[in-house]
Amino acid sequence: MPATALEQIVSLAKRRGFVFPSSAVYGGLGSTWDYGPLGVELKNNVKRAWWRSVVYDRDDMEGLDAAILMNRLVWKYSGHEKTFADPMTDCRSCKSRPRADHVFQEQKGRDPKGLDEINAAIAAKELKCPKCGATDLTEARPFNLMFRTTVGAVDTGDDSGLAYLRPETAQGIFVNFGNVLDTMRRKLPFGVAQIGKAFRNEITPGNFTFRTREFEQMEIEYFVRPGEDEAAHQAWIDARTQWYVDLGMRRENLRQREQAKEELAHYAKRCVDLEYKFPMGWSELEGIANRTDYDLKAHSRSPENPDAVGELKYFDQEQKKHIVPYVIEPSAGADRATLAFLCDAYDESLVKEPPAEEVTKLRELVQSFAKSVDKKDPKAFEPEAKRRLIAAAENIAAGLPGTLPDLLALSDDADANRIEVFKKVRGVSEKLGEEFTRTVLRLHPRLAPITVAVFPLKKNEPRLVELARGVKRDLQAAGLRAVYDDTGAIGKLYRRQDELGTPFCITVDFQSLEDKTVTVRDRDTMAQERVGVGELGGALRGKVG
Ligand code: GAP
């Protein structure tokens, strides 16, 4: 069963060392996250797979790593100083600060045409605060999302040292267009790829790592002759969609959404969003835009831009004249892609039926939990949370034992944990979960944080330990991420590696000492085969691809 709630992913991520709340020892900093030992491997693998696909596997791409801090004029002429803003409103009643366009979209079922339409709806009391339901919202106003900082040791109090933490990596590519062109002697069409941090002071970050204020982008600017832009755009839309599918993402969870004319950014001729069906609903994974010649012109010297030192253009040998290329921009988020791969890979299922009397006991506990929620004073417990918990408890009680994974997911729900009887529900469900359910991350072998885990059948048998450690070392030397583990019985170690997404486990047993073969167990089929120690590296590398 795939993840039905983001909490399942958050819980696994925390429990197994993928992602931790940032600076937790001081109470955290809202919506900032640290990638732990497993998470950093997964995210690095996502970035590596992207780089390989868009740089190494093609003949028309170069890489770049531009600075985060750039001359402020970059952001003036890119348009970000003026237009990179989201409309926000304040609720006078509960003091929350939602994004006004999101409130409009959610409550009217369509995007607003602009700030005026949002404000007309607020004035007419047609929009409610998403947190408390009051219609007492202030006029929406634009809020610039760029983080400001000061360059140099002295803060002069004016804006002379002002710089921004870049809100996208794209501009670093545009302003380096001439450098790449000159040094790499490229002909159109060609592109530049870059991975790097971006920062946005988002009004409403949230949904785990989906929307944060510090994140990583994987962006391409692909330069083409005007007139060849539409075909190149379509080719990139297809290629980028296929990248996710080739790395195991289920096609039915991925869709292409054509942006409507009124949604398009001022620079875009066409934009297609690749969306993933996250547990919270279909949401953007990557945007693929045709930005025309807007950016190269914006950073070229002209009456509108007297600050630029020259022009960003290309001498077209065929036409014997200078032209300004059009740009196709596939812009993905490394954190969002990582989250989407995690959600897609998550699989929790019942492996065998628990005894009937234990199921009956658990069902009664869940029913009494639903009753306790129902009895809670609405002043102490939000009606929306009550409705949600009661519906979840009724569904779970009706479907046990099959709904045991859903019940385990509920263990991370802060509202559920405010109900006294839920402690008992948790205790029983976790005990049954331990014995009767299996959580597997079915990550593509190229993305899995650990490719292969090696265990000795017995940890107190030195000859097995020595051979197992040697196998681990050889696999690591062969370029495969390998770990050694002897901290539990083999069954328990398999379970643990399943939860981490490790595609292959190797057990070294007494037969191994005699014939130098080991058991290789496949995470997905659970099939086991004996493979010679000498052939392991080649066999596994072939499977990773
Ligand atoms: N250069 C174009 C650009 O930046 P965008 O749609 O604003 O376009 C591109 O961002 C991608 O960056 C998004 O599809 C998403 O994957 C990622 N992204 C944007 N804002 C983000 C945020 N606050 N947190 C995490 N990822 C974000």
Side-chain angles (χ1 to χ4, degrees):
M1 195 173 72
T4 50
L6 207 52
E7 284 72 28
Q8 285 168 286
I9 303 298
V10 179
S11 165
L12 176 82
K14 226 161 84 178
R15 201 170 64 242
R16 292 301 188 198
F18 283 87
V19 180
F20 308 122
S22 169
S23 34
V25 291
Y26 291 110
L29 173 66
S31 299
T32 50
W33 303 93
D34 297 337
Y35 286 83
L38 276 294
V40 64
E41 299 293 343
L42 174 60
K43 190 168 144 188
N44 279 346
N45 288 344
V46 169
K47 291 189 284 185
R48 217 174 276 130
W50 182 86
W51 194 267
R52 169 170 156 177
S53 145
V54 306
V55 181
Y56 298 156
D57 289 350
R58 302 177 60 110
D59 298 319
D60 53 357
M61 295 286 296
E62 302 287 353
L64 181 77
D65 184 13
I68 288 175
L69 296 176
M70 300 170 85
N71 190 313
R72 178 189 169 183
L73 293 172
V74 170
W75 306 108
K76 175 176 173 183
Y77 290 107
S78 68
H80 282 77
E81 277 196 339
K82 244 196 204 138
T83 60
F84 195 59
D86 282 337
M88 68 173 194
T89 175
D90 287 291
C91 172
R92 291 191 187 92
S93 179
C94 73
K95 311 292 178 219
S96 65
R97 178 171 282 180
R99 248 181 84 166
D101 55 337
H102 284 178
V103 176
F104 188 102
Q105 207 285 331
E106 275 151 25
Q107 294 176 23
K108 297 261 186 192
R110 65 175 175 82
D111 288 316
K113 295 210 171 69
L115 206 58
D116 289 349
E117 192 181 18
I118 296 174
N119 281 329
I122 288 176
K125 304 254 176 238
E126 288 166 9
L127 300 184
K128 287 189 289 207
C129 167
K131 185 144 186 243
C132 73
T135 52
D136 202 5
L137 298 173
T138 61
E139 188 172 289
R141 59 203 181 284
F143 172 74
N144 195 291
L145 302 183
M146 284 195 291
F147 277 101
R148 295 158 70 97
T149 188
T150 306
V151 174
V154 184
D155 188 349
T156 51
D158 57 19
D159 274 351
S160 56
L162 174 64
Y164 300 103
L165 301 187
R166 67 178 174 201
E168 61 171 19
T169 60
Q171 298 301 324
I173 303 181
F174 294 131
V175 298
N176 273 295
F177 170 75
N179 293 335
V180 177
L181 187 64
D182 293 347
T183 53
M184 306 314 289
R185 308 195 162 272
R186 279 288 179 183
K187 299 261 175 291
L188 290 182
F190 75 94
V192 180
Q194 176 168 224
I195 298 176
K197 289 261 180 174
F199 303 83
R200 295 181 189 176
N201 202 359
E202 297 280 2
I203 302 167
T204 46
N207 284 324
F208 195 31
T209 53
F210 178 81
R211 180 171 287 108
T212 51
R213 296 192 171 105
E214 173 184 342
F215 54 97
E216 253 180 307
Q217 288 189 312
M218 308 187 290
E219 293 200 295
I220 297 163
E221 305 302 334
Y222 191 75
F223 303 99
V224 295
R225 281 188 186 80
E228 292 172 8
D229 52 311
E230 291 180 11
H233 191 193
Q234 192 53 50
W236 272 110
I237 295 166
D238 298 340
R240 292 299 307 138
T241 307
Q242 195 57 39
W243 181 77
Y244 292 99
V245 175
D246 288 346
L247 286 170
M249 195 172 280
R250 275 168 281 192
R251 192 62 188 81
E252 67 269 24
N253 289 343
L254 196 59
R255 74 177 183 193
Q256 298 173 349
R257 190 182 70 83
E258 186 83 34
Q259 281 195 10
K261 282 263 170 305
E262 53 275 20
E263 269 181 274
L264 287 176
H266 56 281
Y267 51 73
K269 174 172 163 188
R270 182 185 173 212
C271 184
V272 170
D273 285 346
L274 298 187
E275 294 189 330
Y276 179 73
K277 197 174 178 189
F278 286 97
M280 68 277 187
W282 286 101
S283 308
E284 180 187 330
L285 195 53
E286 168 164 353
I288 307 166
N290 180 343
R291 295 178 74 123
T292 68
D293 54 8
Y294 178 86
D295 306 275
L296 293 183
K297 278 189 171 157
H299 292 302
S300 291
R301 194 171 177 88
S302 70
E304 292 76 42
N305 184 348
D307 293 313
V309 294
E311 287 178 60
L312 297 174
K313 56 190 184 182
Y314 171 86
F315 186 75
D316 191 355
Q317 295 286 356
E318 283 170 28
Q319 300 183 52
K320 300 277 179 263
K321 63 172 187 176
H322 279 102
I323 60 167
V324 181
Y326 269 34
V327 177
I328 306 302
E329 179 190 68
S331 173
D335 308 87
R336 260 187 215 181
T338 302
L339 180 62
F341 282 120
L342 263 179
C343 291
D344 214 71
Y346 187 91
D347 183 10
E348 189 161 10
S349 57
L350 203 63
V351 281
K352 56 181 171 167
E353 291 269 323
E357 59 279 12
E358 303 225 26
V359 176
T360 306
K361 182 177 154 201
L362 185 59
R363 185 176 297 114
E364 285 166 4
L365 276 173
V366 174
Q367 284 161 342
S368 93
F369 162 71
K371 278 189 199 139
S372 298
V373 176
D374 197 30
K375 279 192 208 135
K376 281 279 166 196
D377 181 348
K379 281 194 199 116
F381 220 88
E382 277 183 24
E384 177 49 40
K386 278 178 78 165
R387 265 195 303 279
R388 179 173 55 79
L389 287 181
I390 292 170
E394 282 170 355
N395 272 337
I396 289 168
L400 280 172
T403 48
L404 190 54
D406 294 323
L407 189 53
L408 293 166
L410 209 59
S411 299
D412 295 298
D413 188 303
D415 289 320
N417 283 289
R418 288 166 61 199
I419 307 289
E420 190 54 33
V421 68
F422 194 69
K423 276 194 202 130
K424 278 196 195 153
V425 174
R426 271 184 70 165
V428 176
S429 59
E430 279 171 9
K431 195 166 148 276
L432 291 183
E434 179 78 5
E435 202 178 335
F436 299 101
T437 66
R438 175 175 181 239
T439 303
V440 187
L441 276 187
R442 299 192 189 279
L443 290 166
H444 188 285
R446 211 178 291 165
L447 298 184
I450 298 168
T451 314
V452 52
V454 186
F455 320 132
L457 186 65
K458 286 189 177 235
K459 69 172 176 184
N460 49 7
E461 176 56 65
R463 289 178 307 154
L464 294 183
V465 169
E466 191 190 336
L467 182 55
R469 285 196 184 277
V471 167
K472 183 259 158 182
R473 268 195 309 275
D474 290 348
L475 290 172
Q476 190 64 53
L480 295 161
R481 175 74 184 121
V483 296
Y484 168 89
D485 196 355
D486 63 8
T487 55
I490 297 294
K492 204 162 171 203
L493 295 178
Y494 281 159
R495 267 176 84 95
R496 182 176 147 73
Q497 294 298 331
D498 284 347
E499 247 193 317
L500 306 183
T502 308
F504 310 109
C505 289
I506 289 176
T507 305
V508 174
D509 56 20
F510 289 103
Q511 188 183 330
S512 312
L513 298 175
E514 282 162 24
D515 63 6
K516 293 283 178 286
T517 66
V518 291
T519 305
V520 180
R521 181 248 198 194
D522 182 291
R523 174 196 70 200
D524 295 331
T525 61
M526 293 201 274
Q528 304 196 2
E529 57 171 336
R530 287 205 81 88
V531 178
V533 169
E535 288 115 55
L536 273 175
L540 295 185
R541 256 213 319 271
K543 291 186 190 202
V544 172

